[in-house]
Amino acid sequence: MITTKYFNYKQIANLAGIHLIWLTAWSTFVAAIYYFFEWQWMTIPLVPLTLVGTAVAFFVGFKSNQAYDRLWEARKIWGAIVNSSRSFTSMLCAFDTEKGEMHYIKDFKKQLVYRHIAWLYTLREQLLIPTEWEHMSLDRHFGEINTKRNRLIKAGFPDYVRTHLFQQKYLSEDEFELQEDYKNFATYLNSKQAKDLNYLKNKKVITDFDQMQLQNCLNDFYDYQGQAERIKKFPSPRQFANSGFIFIVIFIILLPLGLVSEFSKLGDWGIWTCIPFCVIVGWIYIIMELVGDYSENPFGGLMFDIPMLSICRTIEIDLLQMIGEHDDLPEPIASKNGVLV
C-alpha cells in the first residue's frame, strides 16, 4: 500500500516511466514522416479521434471503478478479520467457569490464541502465492520487472518472508510439521480451533452458549478466508481487463495522426511541438490503465497490495496483550519509502 499523500514522481516513474520511450518514439516517427515527406494523406480528422478518446476514457473509467471495488472489498475483509480476532480473544479470556481457573486451562486458551495468530500469517502467505494472471506471472520483460519490484519489497521488509518463523513460534512442533500434509493449511488451523473449543465445552470449562459464540467467530473467519480467496482466485474478467489496454493502444497509435495536422497549422515548428503533447496525452491514458490494472489484484505481492503484514502484526500485538503478554512484543510494521506491506 502506498502511504505517501501524493503519488510522487519516483512512484510514477516506477509504474509507467518505461512507456515514455515508445510513446516518444512513435510520436517522433509520425512527426518526422509528416515533416520530411509531407505525407498529408496519413493524417486523420480530429473529430473521430475525439470520439474514440472519449469512448476509451469511459471504458478505462469503468475498469478502474471495478478494480477499486475489488481493492476496497479486500481491505474490508481484513478489517473485519481485525475486529473478529479481537472479539474472539476477548470472549475466550472472559468465558470461564470454576474449572477455567486451572493452570492447564489457561495454557490451553493461550494455545488457541497462538494458533489464531499462526492462522493469520498462514492465510496471508497463501494469498501471496502468484496466480497466472497476476503481474509477477507475466512473460518475459514485464514479469521480470514486477518480480524485481517484489524482491525490493522483501529486501525492505525482512518479516515479509518470515511466515515459517511465525508459524514455528505460535504452533506446536507437531502442528507445524503438518502443513506439508494440507493443501490449505489455514483451513486446517481453523478446524483445529473448533475441535479445541468443543473440548473445552465437554470439560465444562465453557458453557454451551459460550462455545456457540466462539464458534460463530470461527465461522466468520471461514467466511473472511473464503471471500479473500474468491478475490485471489477469480480474476477481474479478462475480456474487460485486456480490452481496455487494446483500446488505449489503438487510440495512442491514432493520436499523433490526428494532432500532427492540427499543429502543422502553426508552422513547421508546430509539427515538432505536437510530439510532447502526444506523449503527455498518451501517457495519461497509460497511467489510467495501469492504476486500474494493478489495483485489481490486491494480493499480488506489489506496492499496491492490501498491507496484510502490517494488519497481521497489529492483531498479533493486540492479542498478545489481551492474554497478558507484555514483554518482548514485536514492533509494528512501519512504512518504508512510502510503501506499507
Side-chain angles (χ1 to χ4, degrees):
M1 179 182 73
I2 298 172
T3 58
T4 52
K5 183 175 178 60
Y6 300 105
F7 203 44
N8 61 50
Y9 73 94
K10 289 184 179 179
Q11 292 165 335
I12 294 175
N14 183 29
L15 176 65
I18 192 172
H19 293 280
L20 288 173
I21 299 174
W22 70 270
L23 286 170
T24 303
W26 171 244
S27 300
T28 303
F29 175 77
V30 173
I33 291 294
Y34 188 88
Y35 180 81
F36 291 109
F37 297 97
E38 298 182 357
W39 285 3
Q40 297 186 7
W41 58 268
M42 64 185 289
T43 63
I44 59 176
L46 196 58
V47 173
L49 180 64
T50 303
L51 293 176
V52 172
T54 302
V56 172
F58 275 113
F59 192 93
V60 174
F62 168 78
K63 175 185 172 180
S64 296
N65 187 55
Q66 299 305 308
Y68 178 81
D69 284 345
R70 286 170 61 88
L71 179 69
W72 186 238
E73 183 184 1
R75 182 59 185 90
K76 288 192 292 185
I77 290 169
W78 275 92
I81 290 176
V82 173
N83 298 337
S84 293
S85 297
R86 292 166 177 163
S87 297
F88 176 76
T89 304
S90 177
M91 288 188 290
L92 190 63
C93 294
F95 292 163
D96 233 339
T97 63
E98 292 181 359
K99 291 186 177 182
E101 296 297 325
M102 299 174 64
H103 180 70
Y104 85 94
I105 294 298
K106 292 183 178 180
D107 290 341
F108 197 84
K109 290 184 175 181
K110 178 180 176 180
Q111 182 183 3
L112 284 166
V113 175
Y114 274 14
R115 189 184 294 121
H116 179 69
I117 296 174
W119 172 80
L120 293 168
Y121 284 109
T122 301
L123 176 60
R124 170 189 168 272
E125 185 72 13
Q126 292 179 180
L127 292 175
L128 286 174
I129 298 174
T131 58
E132 60 181 305
W133 57 81
E134 289 181 333
H135 294 87
M136 283 197 294
S137 301
L138 295 176
D139 294 332
R140 299 178 183 177
H141 182 65
F142 290 105
E144 293 175 359
I145 289 177
N146 289 294
T147 300
K148 181 180 179 181
R149 290 169 176 166
N150 179 257
R151 286 200 298 265
L152 290 174
I153 289 175
K154 291 178 180 178
F157 297 89
D159 285 345
Y160 193 91
V161 293
R162 292 176 178 171
T163 299
H164 286 298
L165 295 180
F166 301 141
Q167 291 172 329
Q168 207 165 20
K169 177 181 178 181
Y170 291 113
L171 295 175
S172 65
E173 185 176 345
D174 292 338
E175 285 178 335
F176 178 75
E177 292 177 354
L178 281 175
Q179 61 183 310
E180 300 296 333
D181 300 332
Y182 290 90
K183 298 293 185 181
N184 193 324
F185 190 53
T187 299
Y188 163 76
L189 291 177
N190 233 4
S191 67
K192 189 69 166 61
Q193 296 283 74
K195 292 177 181 178
D196 283 356
L197 288 179
N198 192 59
Y199 172 83
L200 291 178
K201 183 200 71 171
N202 293 336
K203 290 294 183 179
K204 307 299 182 182
V205 175
I206 58 176
T207 65
D208 290 352
F209 180 78
D210 295 343
Q211 191 257 353
M212 182 183 68
Q213 294 291 95
L214 290 166
Q215 183 61 48
N216 285 338
C217 275
L218 293 183
N219 293 340
D220 288 339
F221 294 140
Y222 278 124
D223 287 340
Y224 303 144
Q225 179 179 338
Q227 292 168 15
E229 289 172 343
R230 169 174 51 80
I231 295 175
K232 176 69 177 183
K233 296 180 180 179
F234 186 83
S236 180
R238 307 322 296 163
Q239 62 269 29
F240 292 113
N242 294 337
S243 297
F245 177 74
I246 293 171
F247 294 159
I248 286 177
V249 171
I250 293 174
F251 172 70
I252 290 175
I253 290 174
L254 296 177
L255 185 61
L257 300 178
L259 291 186
V260 68
S261 60
E262 293 296 319
F263 276 87
S264 67
K265 297 175 182 178
L266 301 176
D268 289 344
W269 64 272
I271 297 175
W272 302 108
T273 306
C274 85
I275 295 175
F277 283 91
C278 290
V279 171
I280 291 172
V281 174
W283 202 47
I284 289 173
Y285 275 82
I286 288 290
I287 291 177
M288 290 169 57
E289 161 67 18
L290 290 177
V291 168
D293 193 46
Y294 279 94
S295 298
E296 71 185 26
N297 297 314
F299 307 125
L302 300 174
M303 64 178 179
F304 310 96
D305 281 12
I306 300 301
M308 293 188 290
L309 180 61
S310 173
I311 295 172
C312 288
R313 180 59 52 81
T314 297
I315 299 173
E316 179 184 5
I317 294 172
D318 287 349
L319 301 196
L320 291 177
Q321 290 184 316
M322 290 173 72
I323 62 176
E325 296 190 10
H326 300 281
D327 298 328
D328 298 326
L329 290 175
E331 292 296 324
I333 303 297
S335 63
K336 294 182 180 179
N337 300 319
V339 175
L340 183 65
V341 298

